[in-house]
Amino acid sequence: MGKKSRVKTQKITAAAGMSPAPSSKEMLLLVGDLLEICSVSQVSPSKEWEEHLQIRAQVEKICKKQKGLSVVFPGSREDYFDKFMSWASENGILTEGLEICLFPDEGYGLKTTQELKAEELFLWIPRRMMMTVESAKTSILGPLVAEDRMLQAMGNVALALLLLCERANPSSFWRPYLCSLPSHYDTPLYFSMAELHHFLGTQAMHDVLAQYKNIARQYAYFYRLAQVNPAASKLPLRDSFTFEDYRWAVSTVMTRQNQVPLEDASHVTLALIPVWDMCNHTNGLITTGYNMEDDRCECVALREFHPAEQIYIFYGNRSNSDFVIHNGFFYKGNVNDRVKIKLGVSKSDRLFAMKSEILARGGIPASTMFSLHCGEMPVPAQLLAFLRIFCMTEGELKECLVGENVMEKIFRLGDPDFPVSWDNEVKLWTFLETRVSLLLKTYKTSLQEDENLIADPQTSYRTKMAVRLCKSEKEILQGVVRYAACQRDTAHHLQKSGAPLPSPVVCKSTSFSEAGRKGSESKGEVCGEGWNNEETMEPRETSNSANEMASKADI
Ligand SMILES: C[S@@+](CC[C@H](N)C(=O)[O-])C[C@H]1O[C@@H](n2cnc3c(N)ncnc32)[C@H](O)[C@@H]1O
């Protein structure tokens, strides 16, 4: 069926002037080499760029062979918006008062045609309209998911492959949705080498390169699987599965996925949620939840919106590095912005055993990534506790290990109001100031140079994004240096004046762990890191309270 419509979207195989489609054997060899290059683990930071060049060269070789083989829809996405919104409303999505509109900063988004009050329900999407990992299991992809451990463990990959299978099917139920999606993205997977270069020296660079490597490795793994596994014999991926296809599908999932509860609420699953995923991000609270009674995702207004205004939602507590790497945009004025910094107790430290024991009791690894935040309070409780332990004398360490109320003492280490000693305070703030000042020296450009590049109309959107990230990292780090110097001076002054240490009457803190973000854990040896964009919608009673939903949904 669908021969006629297939003509429109089917791949172009060896059209005039093009090289003939590569043989499966040839492709398997190229892809096998890619898998090998991408399977080297633990590359030292100084070698990561070199490794990336090697991966890129192999990917480019593959892409050259695959030129013209991807499925593309004719015309542009806006040609399909009317059909998409009609399909959505005919199938139970509440679209009344909503229009898709082009906005200068965020691309397409949702506009309200009516007055919306804060916390007013304006959009719902029934479960059957979502593309979920469960849809993948019951689709043509089902037999492969049932067989492959990697696909079972990585819902985001299953969703990406489902997108590609549905895109190749002219009679897909999802067609109006698929046609409405962007044809390309601004995630770093799409950056040219020249654009990527602007991440050099940033704290985000490692994650940018790791993302590319993971996706290239996944592509090689799943390309091979589609070719050799009998459970994949009926998949359109066997005839055509290009790197470009995978980069598109991964970026679609990465920039639009969300977690929703399963029907029986036992677990969560990943979902693409049509129409809702047209909403762009602003600072605020999560206002989307899952109504288990009506089995649908519901979204209430973050604040009041007037007719013709864009409706924004809040994507979650993410840094600009998260936004750039996983969503392909930089958000100016991000109140949750932060920079990662690696700190650890050296194994050659004479007091390593005591320090790591106290850290372990407080749930902090002896060596890990910490966050430095933007704003007035750049040092979170967990990092403060680490720094205090890191700088303790043997006597101070013993006090946290033996005696009464040691756990209370350990948890209090994250409380800025209760220093261990003035000497410890002076040491830890001096250490942080020095460490972050050194980090600032590794950046390749000055703030002024960044600003010039951003202001230059010749600079590409993607380059601007990388430069803005670089600039914001430096600004956060400069803020930390100023804060640490100020804290050090205050402690020094109090020490000199013989001020008594504040003594706690009631223990204020019970834990200094930072709220963990979903999706950052490693999900499999071949596939590496998750794509780190999903938020969770927890089951909830029918309610319009934005705050109630936010507290339940923002994990
Ligand atoms: C869920 S989609 C929203 C709809 C999207 N604008 C579109 O055209 O399909 C998320 C994407 O929208 C864009 N976006 C969302 N919020 C943004 C913002 N505040 N600034 C710039 N781009 C934004 C980014 O490209 C992001 O990957």
PDB file of all heavy atoms in Angstrom, residues 239-252:
ATOM      1  N   ASP A 239      17.269  -1.473   4.867  1.00  0.00           N
ATOM      2  CA  ASP A 239      17.555  -0.922   3.527  1.00  0.00           C
ATOM      3  C   ASP A 239      18.297   0.395   3.619  1.00  0.00           C
ATOM      4  O   ASP A 239      19.163   0.693   2.811  1.00  0.00           O
ATOM      5  CB  ASP A 239      16.258  -0.662   2.759  1.00  0.00           C
ATOM      6  CG  ASP A 239      15.458  -1.919   2.604  1.00  0.00           C
ATOM      7  OD1 ASP A 239      16.083  -2.990   2.561  1.00  0.00           O
ATOM      8  OD2 ASP A 239      14.216  -1.828   2.557  1.00  0.00           O
ATOM      9  N   SER A 240      17.898   1.191   4.602  1.00  0.00           N
ATOM     10  CA  SER A 240      18.511   2.511   4.668  1.00  0.00           C
ATOM     11  C   SER A 240      18.521   2.983   6.120  1.00  0.00           C
ATOM     12  O   SER A 240      17.458   3.176   6.729  1.00  0.00           O
ATOM     13  CB  SER A 240      17.701   3.471   3.795  1.00  0.00           C
ATOM     14  OG  SER A 240      18.116   4.786   4.063  1.00  0.00           O
ATOM     15  N   PHE A 241      19.711   3.174   6.664  1.00  0.00           N
ATOM     16  CA  PHE A 241      19.847   3.673   8.029  1.00  0.00           C
ATOM     17  C   PHE A 241      21.141   4.479   8.048  1.00  0.00           C
ATOM     18  O   PHE A 241      22.223   3.949   8.279  1.00  0.00           O
ATOM     19  CB  PHE A 241      19.881   2.481   8.988  1.00  0.00           C
ATOM     20  CG  PHE A 241      20.074   2.864  10.440  1.00  0.00           C
ATOM     21  CD1 PHE A 241      19.649   4.089  10.947  1.00  0.00           C
ATOM     22  CD2 PHE A 241      20.682   1.969  11.317  1.00  0.00           C
ATOM     23  CE1 PHE A 241      19.831   4.414  12.285  1.00  0.00           C
ATOM     24  CE2 PHE A 241      20.863   2.279  12.659  1.00  0.00           C
ATOM     25  CZ  PHE A 241      20.440   3.502  13.144  1.00  0.00           C
ATOM     26  N   THR A 242      21.018   5.764   7.757  1.00  0.00           N
ATOM     27  CA  THR A 242      22.223   6.576   7.610  1.00  0.00           C
ATOM     28  C   THR A 242      22.606   7.213   8.939  1.00  0.00           C
ATOM     29  O   THR A 242      21.776   7.342   9.848  1.00  0.00           O
ATOM     30  CB  THR A 242      21.998   7.701   6.575  1.00  0.00           C
ATOM     31  OG1 THR A 242      20.996   8.587   7.104  1.00  0.00           O
ATOM     32  CG2 THR A 242      21.541   7.159   5.237  1.00  0.00           C
ATOM     33  N   PHE A 243      23.856   7.654   9.008  1.00  0.00           N
ATOM     34  CA  PHE A 243      24.301   8.373  10.215  1.00  0.00           C
ATOM     35  C   PHE A 243      23.460   9.623  10.384  1.00  0.00           C
ATOM     36  O   PHE A 243      23.066   9.977  11.487  1.00  0.00           O
ATOM     37  CB  PHE A 243      25.788   8.738  10.115  1.00  0.00           C
ATOM     38  CG  PHE A 243      26.253   9.475  11.345  1.00  0.00           C
ATOM     39  CD1 PHE A 243      26.614   8.786  12.491  1.00  0.00           C
ATOM     40  CD2 PHE A 243      26.320  10.868  11.373  1.00  0.00           C
ATOM     41  CE1 PHE A 243      27.009   9.459  13.647  1.00  0.00           C
ATOM     42  CE2 PHE A 243      26.718  11.554  12.514  1.00  0.00           C
ATOM     43  CZ  PHE A 243      27.064  10.842  13.657  1.00  0.00           C
ATOM     44  N   GLU A 244      23.147  10.269   9.261  1.00  0.00           N
ATOM     45  CA  GLU A 244      22.316  11.484   9.289  1.00  0.00           C
ATOM     46  C   GLU A 244      20.941  11.177   9.901  1.00  0.00           C
ATOM     47  O   GLU A 244      20.419  11.946  10.717  1.00  0.00           O
ATOM     48  CB  GLU A 244      22.190  12.025   7.853  1.00  0.00           C
ATOM     49  CG  GLU A 244      21.329  13.240   7.663  1.00  0.00           C
ATOM     50  CD  GLU A 244      21.700  14.401   8.581  1.00  0.00           C
ATOM     51  OE1 GLU A 244      22.896  14.622   8.797  1.00  0.00           O
ATOM     52  OE2 GLU A 244      20.765  15.050   9.099  1.00  0.00           O
ATOM     53  N   ASP A 245      20.367  10.021   9.514  1.00  0.00           N
ATOM     54  CA  ASP A 245      19.076   9.610  10.081  1.00  0.00           C
ATOM     55  C   ASP A 245      19.192   9.480  11.604  1.00  0.00           C
ATOM     56  O   ASP A 245      18.327   9.939  12.345  1.00  0.00           O
ATOM     57  CB  ASP A 245      18.647   8.229   9.548  1.00  0.00           C
ATOM     58  CG  ASP A 245      18.252   8.252   8.086  1.00  0.00           C
ATOM     59  OD1 ASP A 245      17.875   9.319   7.594  1.00  0.00           O
ATOM     60  OD2 ASP A 245      18.328   7.178   7.445  1.00  0.00           O
ATOM     61  N   TYR A 246      20.255   8.821  12.038  1.00  0.00           N
ATOM     62  CA  TYR A 246      20.383   8.559  13.468  1.00  0.00           C
ATOM     63  C   TYR A 246      20.607   9.863  14.242  1.00  0.00           C
ATOM     64  O   TYR A 246      20.026  10.077  15.293  1.00  0.00           O
ATOM     65  CB  TYR A 246      21.515   7.549  13.734  1.00  0.00           C
ATOM     66  CG  TYR A 246      21.439   7.015  15.151  1.00  0.00           C
ATOM     67  CD1 TYR A 246      20.308   6.332  15.592  1.00  0.00           C
ATOM     68  CD2 TYR A 246      22.479   7.212  16.053  1.00  0.00           C
ATOM     69  CE1 TYR A 246      20.213   5.863  16.901  1.00  0.00           C
ATOM     70  CE2 TYR A 246      22.387   6.739  17.360  1.00  0.00           C
ATOM     71  CZ  TYR A 246      21.250   6.070  17.773  1.00  0.00           C
ATOM     72  OH  TYR A 246      21.157   5.618  19.070  1.00  0.00           O
ATOM     73  N   ARG A 247      21.440  10.730  13.700  1.00  0.00           N
ATOM     74  CA  ARG A 247      21.703  12.017  14.344  1.00  0.00           C
ATOM     75  C   ARG A 247      20.396  12.812  14.482  1.00  0.00           C
ATOM     76  O   ARG A 247      20.124  13.421  15.506  1.00  0.00           O
ATOM     77  CB  ARG A 247      22.726  12.779  13.488  1.00  0.00           C
ATOM     78  CG  ARG A 247      22.987  14.174  13.905  1.00  0.00           C
ATOM     79  CD  ARG A 247      24.157  14.752  13.164  1.00  0.00           C
ATOM     80  NE  ARG A 247      23.829  15.158  11.802  1.00  0.00           N
ATOM     81  CZ  ARG A 247      24.560  16.031  11.091  1.00  0.00           C
ATOM     82  NH1 ARG A 247      25.661  16.538  11.620  1.00  0.00           N
ATOM     83  NH2 ARG A 247      24.222  16.356   9.877  1.00  0.00           N
ATOM     84  N   TRP A 248      19.564  12.742  13.440  1.00  0.00           N
ATOM     85  CA  TRP A 248      18.275  13.440  13.472  1.00  0.00           C
ATOM     86  C   TRP A 248      17.355  12.826  14.536  1.00  0.00           C
ATOM     87  O   TRP A 248      16.763  13.539  15.357  1.00  0.00           O
ATOM     88  CB  TRP A 248      17.601  13.378  12.087  1.00  0.00           C
ATOM     89  CG  TRP A 248      16.202  13.914  12.097  1.00  0.00           C
ATOM     90  CD1 TRP A 248      15.827  15.226  12.003  1.00  0.00           C
ATOM     91  CD2 TRP A 248      14.991  13.167  12.278  1.00  0.00           C
ATOM     92  NE1 TRP A 248      14.460  15.340  12.106  1.00  0.00           N
ATOM     93  CE2 TRP A 248      13.918  14.090  12.271  1.00  0.00           C
ATOM     94  CE3 TRP A 248      14.695  11.809  12.437  1.00  0.00           C
ATOM     95  CZ2 TRP A 248      12.581  13.706  12.421  1.00  0.00           C
ATOM     96  CZ3 TRP A 248      13.362  11.429  12.590  1.00  0.00           C
ATOM     97  CH2 TRP A 248      12.324  12.363  12.578  1.00  0.00           C
ATOM     98  N   ALA A 249      17.268  11.494  14.517  1.00  0.00           N
ATOM     99  CA  ALA A 249      16.347  10.820  15.440  1.00  0.00           C
ATOM    100  C   ALA A 249      16.778  11.030  16.895  1.00  0.00           C
ATOM    101  O   ALA A 249      15.951  11.314  17.763  1.00  0.00           O
ATOM    102  CB  ALA A 249      16.278   9.330  15.109  1.00  0.00           C
ATOM    103  N   VAL A 250      18.079  10.912  17.136  1.00  0.00           N
ATOM    104  CA  VAL A 250      18.609  11.108  18.485  1.00  0.00           C
ATOM    105  C   VAL A 250      18.337  12.545  18.946  1.00  0.00           C
ATOM    106  O   VAL A 250      17.903  12.776  20.075  1.00  0.00           O
ATOM    107  CB  VAL A 250      20.138  10.821  18.497  1.00  0.00           C
ATOM    108  CG1 VAL A 250      20.799  11.429  19.704  1.00  0.00           C
ATOM    109  CG2 VAL A 250      20.393   9.333  18.444  1.00  0.00           C
ATOM    110  N   SER A 251      18.565  13.492  18.065  1.00  0.00           N
ATOM    111  CA  SER A 251      18.361  14.892  18.446  1.00  0.00           C
ATOM    112  C   SER A 251      16.884  15.185  18.667  1.00  0.00           C
ATOM    113  O   SER A 251      16.525  15.965  19.554  1.00  0.00           O
ATOM    114  CB  SER A 251      18.932  15.838  17.382  1.00  0.00           C
ATOM    115  OG  SER A 251      20.314  15.636  17.290  1.00  0.00           O
ATOM    116  N   THR A 252      16.016  14.553  17.872  1.00  0.00           N
ATOM    117  CA  THR A 252      14.576  14.727  18.085  1.00  0.00           C
ATOM    118  C   THR A 252      14.212  14.243  19.487  1.00  0.00           C
ATOM    119  O   THR A 252      13.536  14.944  20.251  1.00  0.00           O
ATOM    120  CB  THR A 252      13.764  13.921  17.028  1.00  0.00           C
ATOM    121  OG1 THR A 252      14.158  14.335  15.736  1.00  0.00           O
ATOM    122  CG2 THR A 252      12.272  14.119  17.208  1.00  0.00           C
TER     123      THR A 252
END
